[in-house]
Amino acid sequence: MNPIIAMEYSDDRLRLVDQRRLPGAYETFECRTWRDCVFAIKDMVVRGAPAIGAAAAYGAALAALEYSALGAPEFGPAMRAALGELRRARPTAVNLMWAVDRMAAALDASLGLGPGRAAYERLKAEADAVLADETDRSERIAEYGAALVPDGAVILTHCNTGSLAVPGPGTALGIIKAAHRAGKGVSVYADETRPRLQGARLTAWELDREGVPVTLIADSVAATLMRDGKISLVVVGADRIAANGDAANKIGTFMLSALAERYGVPFYVAAPVSTIDFGCPSGDAIAIEERSPDEVTTIEGVRVAPAGVRVYNPAFDVTPAGNITAIVTERGVIRPPYGPAIAALRPGAGEGTL
Amino acid sequence: MNPIIAMEYSDDRLRLVDQRRLPGAYETFECRTWRDCVFAIKDMVVRGAPAIGAAAAYGAALAALEYSALGAPEFGPAMRAALGELRRARPTAVNLMWAVDRMAAALDASLGLGPGRAAYERLKAEADAVLADETDRSERIAEYGAALVPDGAVILTHCNTGSLAVPGPGTALGIIKAAHRAGKGVSVYADETRPRLQGARLTAWELDREGVPVTLIADSVAATLMRDGKISLVVVGADRIAANGDAANKIGTFMLSALAERYGVPFYVAAPVSTIDFGCPSGDAIAIEERSPDEVTTIEGVRVAPAGVRVYNPAFDVTPAGNITAIVTERGVIRPPYGPAIAALRPGAGEGTL
């Protein structure tokens, strides 16, 4: 089956796989205006930080198309209002802000062109570049990571980190798919990933569609599998990596890392360099977002806990660097001690492969 | 608020709290015939091994009532057929078989009475004794266990082990409630307990109703709480305990025990002596029941995973004796080495408190 293309731009419109409908239906959501893009981001038609960034970039291009008939004095302010709304569509996604900032810079550079088709083409080209850059990054991560995967590996993963979240093959899931395509004969246990069930809804669907053998488990089953030697390695994504290698990721990741450390299972984190927060000294400095109790107390609108019960629902947890065997980036694989390895990736510390 | 009485027999009928409706509704299910009791056990109106056993005992009494007008030659076979159906209502519940066997022995002892009200009264008295025995056991477990709980303890528990599952206060939850009533100022984190969500549906409801401060969490959140020193102790029930102290319990228990061992959190198992399988040398000999994939792939009838996805859904896992700080029984608290301590509880090894 063809790889999943979760985002495609042509004929002046952005087409997204509608992730709200998966796994029940595989449908396309079409954005014809920048407001459609804001809606798609807000309503989680598209999710995953790199995918959100790319969708916002195309939103900026669609704004330039919509305002192409305006006079020059109106065009700039209208575009800035649209960029502001795109930027605010999700509050915490760092990639969203970067992508919008990049589009704002492209807009500034193109203001000499005035409104009209030329400005739109310039912004569309920039959005294409955002998408291509993200795709290229995840392809490199997949390639570097696949080299770490032994033949016949049984891989445990958590949450969803594939083509739905990231343009290209994905991060952790990209590695798994690359190892599969390389003929390594891998198979996967996918945690369902409570409370939002991204593992059940998205990862199991994506791997199944790609032909990778996948078995879905409740999150608490992983412990016995690791103790019994049934897991060759764990690979997960990251939402934010501190300068010392501590990594924040979907709730449940730390649990897996602690069990992997206890039972001698290699534990890999896969993420683009843009995930590293060089100004953040350690995981202690990472604030953990608490999400709505409803995510735990109701499932698909059905209440599964008593009304009014107190809930503690952290979205993320922090895996200490000491539990991480290696971090796979688009610039290579880094290993402990992470401090110097991460410092070498800092912008200005020299580009290129490690 | 009054304690939960999940089972009550009067006016020739058994009244059960309908656990299928919790936490949405607190309703009574009435069994007027032994067939109602079979249905209640099969359909999980009543769940929890000791509660199931007591419900089946009353089912036997209701059979004697229904058949009291039969002639003596028909009464015995009719009763045996009813006992057989009660025994088969759930396949793996050891307490159910014991309770039915006890009722069969009482039936044999009362056959001289012939059919009629006297035989019914005899069997009803035996069922009352089954219920009273189970209640007494869980009260003792609660009392012994509460002595282990320090003032102000923050307690983590898993699944549901309270008055809905066990006549009386319960096992692990009985300990928590006894510590609360003793004024120890405890509070509780309740794991939701995927896949069947007994923690969300039942434990959170029961503790809230008893006035014990409770916070519901997804199962994978426990790891961070333990690492960060936020849990004073873990207490769970058991489905089967081997002669060496290895304990099978609801899936997810082993995960908690491994994390508790790693982070130095005391880990207690609470169960009546009847849970010990003296003929089972270790956890390796405990077969783990795999349940329907539907428990993972659908919630309240709503599909949350792709159709046909492979699922591994073990109902239980095994916690090694080495991860258990102490086992609380109705005859006292036992500690490592568990081999000799458990042997001392073996029937015939002398009764009484340890």
Side-chain angles (χ1 to χ4, degrees):
Chain A
M1 195 172 274
N2 294 328
I4 297 160
I5 307 293
M7 180 178 305
E8 207 167 26
Y9 192 90
S10 60
D11 304 326
D12 302 338
R13 59 194 67 170
L14 177 67
R15 291 177 187 84
L16 302 168
V17 170
D18 190 341
Q19 301 191 37
R20 302 168 306 175
R21 309 295 309 277
L22 291 172
Y26 182 44
E27 290 175 5
T28 299
F29 181 94
E30 236 181 47
C31 301
R32 298 174 179 229
T33 71
W34 67 268
R35 284 186 188 82
D36 294 342
C37 291
V38 170
F39 174 85
I41 294 167
K42 277 194 174 161
D43 212 46
M44 296 182 79
V45 173
V46 58
R47 49 157 283 288
I52 287 172
Y58 282 112
L62 285 170
L65 179 64
E66 180 172 337
Y67 300 138
S68 58
L70 290 183
E74 290 81 32
F75 180 69
M79 283 300 295
R80 276 180 222 299
L83 288 177
E85 280 206 48
L86 285 162
R87 201 177 204 284
R88 287 186 297 273
R90 283 286 290 278
T92 53
V94 138
N95 297 56
L96 172 60
M97 292 162 204
W98 285 357
V100 172
D101 289 348
R102 182 167 166 176
M103 296 307 289
L107 174 67
D108 287 343
S110 68
L111 279 182
L113 303 173
R117 193 83 192 175
Y120 164 59
E121 294 293 349
R122 174 71 190 81
L123 288 188
K124 188 178 97 57
E126 190 70 19
D128 287 341
V130 167
L131 181 64
D133 285 356
E134 294 289 3
T135 304
D136 180 62
R137 279 190 196 103
S138 85
E139 279 168 359
R140 284 167 193 267
I141 289 170
E143 192 179 327
Y144 281 120
L148 301 171
V149 176
D151 282 348
V154 180
I155 304 173
L156 177 67
T157 191
H158 194 67
C159 201
N160 177 262
T161 56
S163 301
L164 296 166
V166 184
T171 55
L173 219 48
I175 290 171
I176 292 170
K177 291 187 288 184
H180 170 74
R181 288 180 193 156
K184 294 198 173 195
V186 301
S187 60
V188 177
Y189 281 101
D191 284 341
E192 64 175 355
T193 315
R194 282 285 290 154
R196 292 183 69 96
L197 297 166
Q198 295 94 332
R201 292 181 197 276
L202 305 176
T203 300
W205 176 83
E206 181 167 346
L207 288 175
D208 195 47
R209 196 171 174 289
E210 296 264 345
V212 184
V214 57
T215 302
L216 181 64
I217 55 174
D219 300 318
S220 69
V221 175
T224 298
L225 294 175
M226 281 199 255
R227 179 191 59 185
D228 293 348
K230 292 186 175 155
I231 303 295
S232 316
L233 62 93
V234 181
V235 61
V236 298
D239 284 86
R240 197 165 165 203
I241 298 175
N244 72 341
D246 292 351
N249 191 45
K250 185 63 55 199
I251 186 73
T253 304
F254 165 65
M255 170 193 76
L256 296 177
S257 79
L259 294 163
E261 196 266 342
R262 171 73 179 76
Y263 295 106
V265 180
F267 185 92
Y268 300 110
V269 170
V273 171
S274 59
T275 306
I276 299 172
D277 185 346
F278 295 96
C280 175
S282 79
D284 293 342
I286 299 178
I288 298 298
E289 174 191 357
E290 255 194 80
R291 295 182 59 93
S292 164
D294 295 346
E295 291 187 352
V296 178
T297 59
T298 65
I299 299 176
E300 298 278 353
V302 179
R303 176 160 280 281
V304 295
V309 68
R310 198 173 2 223
V311 174
Y312 174 54
N313 182 26
F316 306 105
D317 57 24
V318 174
T319 294
N323 286 0
I324 301 172
T325 309
I327 300 174
V328 184
T329 77
E330 74 275 24
R331 287 174 57 200
V333 176
I334 62 177
R335 293 183 181 269
Y338 290 109
I342 287 177
L345 293 173
R346 203 180 180 115
E351 287 291 319
T353 300
L354 289 173
Chain B
M1 196 173 274
N2 294 329
I4 297 160
I5 306 293
M7 181 178 305
E8 207 166 27
Y9 192 90
S10 60
D11 304 325
D12 302 337
R13 60 193 67 169
L14 178 66
R15 290 176 188 84
L16 301 167
V17 170
D18 190 342
Q19 300 191 37
R20 300 169 307 175
R21 308 296 308 277
L22 289 172
Y26 182 44
E27 289 175 5
T28 300
F29 181 93
E30 236 181 47
C31 301
R32 298 176 177 227
T33 71
W34 67 267
R35 284 184 190 84
D36 294 342
C37 292
V38 170
F39 174 85
I41 294 167
K42 277 193 174 163
D43 213 46
M44 298 183 77
V45 174
V46 58
R47 47 159 284 289
I52 287 171
Y58 283 112
L62 285 170
L65 179 63
E66 180 171 337
Y67 299 138
S68 59
L70 291 183
E74 291 80 33
F75 179 70
M79 283 300 296
R80 276 180 223 298
L83 289 176
E85 282 207 45
L86 285 162
R87 201 177 205 282
R88 287 186 298 272
R90 283 285 291 277
T92 52
V94 137
N95 297 56
L96 171 61
M97 291 162 206
W98 286 356
V100 172
D101 289 347
R102 181 168 168 177
M103 297 307 289
L107 174 68
D108 287 343
S110 69
L111 279 181
L113 303 172
R117 193 83 193 175
Y120 164 58
E121 295 292 350
R122 173 73 189 80
L123 289 188
K124 188 179 95 56
E126 191 69 18
D128 287 342
V130 167
L131 181 65
D133 285 357
E134 293 290 3
T135 304
D136 180 61
R137 280 190 196 102
S138 86
E139 280 169 355
R140 282 168 194 265
I141 289 170
E143 193 178 327
Y144 281 120
L148 301 172
V149 177
D151 283 348
V154 180
I155 304 173
L156 177 67
T157 191
H158 194 65
C159 200
N160 178 261
T161 56
S163 301
L164 297 166
V166 185
T171 55
L173 220 47
I175 290 171
I176 291 170
K177 293 187 289 185
H180 170 74
R181 288 182 194 155
K184 294 198 173 194
V186 299
S187 60
V188 176
Y189 281 100
D191 283 342
E192 64 175 354
T193 316
R194 282 286 289 155
R196 292 183 67 98
L197 297 167
Q198 295 94 332
R201 292 181 196 279
L202 305 176
T203 300
W205 176 82
E206 181 167 346
L207 287 174
D208 195 47
R209 198 173 172 286
E210 296 265 345
V212 184
V214 58
T215 301
L216 181 64
I217 55 173
D219 299 321
S220 69
V221 175
T224 298
L225 294 175
M226 281 198 257
R227 179 193 58 186
D228 293 348
K230 291 187 176 155
I231 303 294
S232 315
L233 62 95
V234 181
V235 60
V236 298
D239 283 88
R240 198 166 164 203
I241 298 174
N244 72 340
D246 292 351
N249 191 46
K250 185 63 56 201
I251 186 70
T253 304
F254 164 66
M255 169 194 77
L256 297 177
S257 80
L259 294 163
E261 195 266 343
R262 171 72 180 77
Y263 295 105
V265 179
F267 185 91
Y268 299 110
V269 170
V273 171
S274 59
T275 305
I276 300 172
D277 185 346
F278 295 96
C280 175
S282 80
D284 294 341
I286 299 178
I288 298 299
E289 175 191 356
E290 255 194 79
R291 296 182 60 94
S292 165
D294 295 347
E295 290 187 353
V296 178
T297 58
T298 64
I299 298 175
E300 298 276 354
V302 179
R303 176 160 279 282
V304 294
V309 69
R310 201 173 359 224
V311 175
Y312 175 54
N313 182 26
F316 306 105
D317 57 24
V318 175
T319 294
N323 285 0
I324 301 172
T325 309
I327 300 174
V328 184
T329 77
E330 74 275 24
R331 288 174 57 199
V333 176
I334 63 177
R335 292 182 183 269
Y338 290 109
I342 286 176
L345 292 173
R346 200 178 181 115
E351 287 291 319
T353 299
L354 289 173

